[in-house]
């Protein structure tokens, strides 16, 4: 099953006998919009969303409290499960997640559902901007779902696992190149990257419209970095959100990958961990 779905395919699916549950996961990395006010995903949802979609709060339902484990640690599974059931998610129902277009937040929801055992979840390619159908403002209240999250083994890396994978396999850094090189660091206390990690910005996963590049192009892109089905692959970013987008792109390319959820925000919380700077992985 493809991990992404086009807007036209979604429209057809919503008219089918087995329509998907829709998750609206609008979120922004920046803490302030142009107006100077923090971005409010719930307000964006209330101003118009795909009919039937339920808003999911990334910071509160797809992550737990920031701290030494990073800015977006894994959520408490009881909280996550309750949020998914409130949205109408059941083990036997398809799910489609979308966000405001960049794809990071929707990919985080996709990854969490896949990691915890849901067999049929996809991301709307291009997000809400790709949708040309109707919108509604009234909050959706679907029937309670029955999904119970059951985490899979081996899909999550901790700091030690990420460091080891950078030596024994392929560890991709999904942040912008200037952050990888340590030229700028707008969020975390230290710039640079995990020694041995390779720079692979999420911006190279998509075209100018924010839609994923074809699977063959993605395979070629990751193949140039040594990431193939034949080697263990892991991904990290700043806090485990954009890295989920990279895992999704790898999935489209047919390459399984693990996610270092704590990512750079956890790595740099311990000053004893080594940091590399510049374009050289080491």
């Amino acid at each position: 099953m493809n991990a992404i779905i086009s807007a036209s395919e979604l429209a057809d699916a919503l008219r089918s006998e087995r329509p998907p549950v829709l998750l609206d996961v609008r979120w922004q990395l920046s803490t302030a919009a142009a107006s100077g006010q923090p971005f409010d995903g719930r307000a964006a949802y209330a101003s118009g969303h795909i009919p039937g979609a339920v808003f999911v709060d990334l910071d509160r339902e797809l992550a737990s409290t920031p701290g030494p484990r990073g800015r977006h640690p894994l959520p408490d599974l009881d909280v996550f499960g309750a949020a998914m059931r409130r949205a109408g998610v059941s083990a036997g129902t398809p799910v489609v997640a979308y966000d405001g277009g960049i794809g990071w937040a929707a990919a985080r929801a996709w990854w969490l559902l896949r990691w915890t055992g849901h067999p049929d979840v996809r991301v709307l390619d291009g997000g809400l901007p790709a949708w040309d159908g109707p919108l509604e403002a009234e909050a959706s209240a679907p029937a309670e779902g029955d999904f119970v999250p059951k985490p899979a083994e081996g899909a999550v890396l901790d700091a030690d696992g990420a460091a080891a994978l950078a030596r024994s396999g392929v560890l991709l850094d999904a942040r912008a190149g200037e952050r990888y090189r340590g030229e700028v660091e707008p969020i975390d206390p230290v710039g640079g990257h995990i020694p041995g990690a390779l720079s692979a910005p999420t911006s190279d996963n998509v075209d100018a419209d924010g839609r994923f590049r074809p699977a063959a192009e993605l395979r070629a892109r990751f193949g140039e970095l040594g990431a193939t089905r034949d080697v263990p692959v892991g991904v990290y970013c700043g806090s485990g959100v954009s890295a989920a987008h990279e895992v999704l792109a790898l999935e489209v390319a047919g390459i399984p990958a693990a996610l270092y959820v704590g990512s750079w925000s956890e790595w740099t919380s311990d000053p004893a961990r080594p940091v590399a700077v510049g374009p050289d992985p080491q």
Side-chain angles (χ1 to χ4, degrees):
M1 184 190 69
N2 201 340
I4 56 177
I5 184 171
S6 70
S8 61
E9 291 170 333
L10 176 58
D12 289 341
L14 290 172
R15 291 190 292 265
S16 72
E17 295 181 356
R18 190 168 171 257
V21 170
L22 290 176
L23 307 180
D24 184 311
V25 202
R26 274 177 277 183
W27 171 87
Q28 285 185 8
L29 175 62
S30 175
T31 57
S35 64
Q37 297 299 317
F39 176 77
D40 188 341
R42 194 176 296 276
Y45 169 84
S47 69
H49 53 269
I50 299 176
V54 174
F55 178 72
V56 176
D57 190 318
L58 186 148
D59 290 318
R60 293 176 175 82
E61 296 172 319
L62 304 184
S64 55
T65 304
R69 294 186 300 131
R71 286 192 308 279
H72 291 104
L74 287 172
D76 179 281
L77 289 181
D78 289 339
V79 172
F80 172 66
M84 293 300 98
R85 291 189 293 274
R86 172 185 59 83
V89 176
S90 290
T93 57
V95 179
V96 172
Y98 71 87
D99 57 26
I102 196 169
W104 295 358
R108 172 79 173 211
W110 167 85
W111 180 83
L112 280 167
L113 280 165
R114 288 290 300 273
W115 172 59
T116 55
H118 199 287
D120 189 354
V121 53
R122 289 177 283 178
V123 167
L124 175 58
D125 196 15
L128 190 60
W131 176 256
D132 59 3
L135 299 176
E136 67 179 15
E138 184 177 353
S140 304
E144 183 90 357
D146 63 14
F147 179 69
V148 177
K150 297 177 181 178
E153 296 289 337
V156 178
L157 296 171
D158 59 13
D160 290 340
L165 188 59
R167 298 188 298 270
S168 63
V170 175
L171 181 65
L172 301 178
D173 185 318
R175 298 171 301 159
E178 58 268 25
R179 292 184 69 191
Y180 170 88
R181 295 187 296 271
E183 297 165 358
V184 298
E185 182 43 66
I187 305 172
D188 294 309
V190 179
H193 57 270
I194 297 173
L198 302 173
S199 180
T202 56
S203 56
D204 290 342
N205 295 333
V206 297
D207 61 21
D209 294 324
R211 292 177 173 84
F212 280 96
R213 293 162 59 184
E217 290 185 16
L218 289 170
R219 273 193 297 275
R221 182 217 174 183
F222 292 123
E224 290 176 356
L225 295 166
T228 69
R229 291 188 60 87
D230 300 323
V231 298
V233 178
V235 187
Y236 75 95
C237 59
S239 66
V241 177
S242 66
H245 186 274
E246 192 100 293
V247 174
L248 175 57
L250 285 156
E251 177 80 7
V252 172
I255 303 168
L259 178 65
Y260 174 24
V261 180
S263 286
W264 192 243
S265 56
E266 180 189 41
W267 185 269
T268 56
S269 70
D270 183 350
R273 293 191 182 112
V275 169
V277 296
D280 189 324
Q282 301 301 332

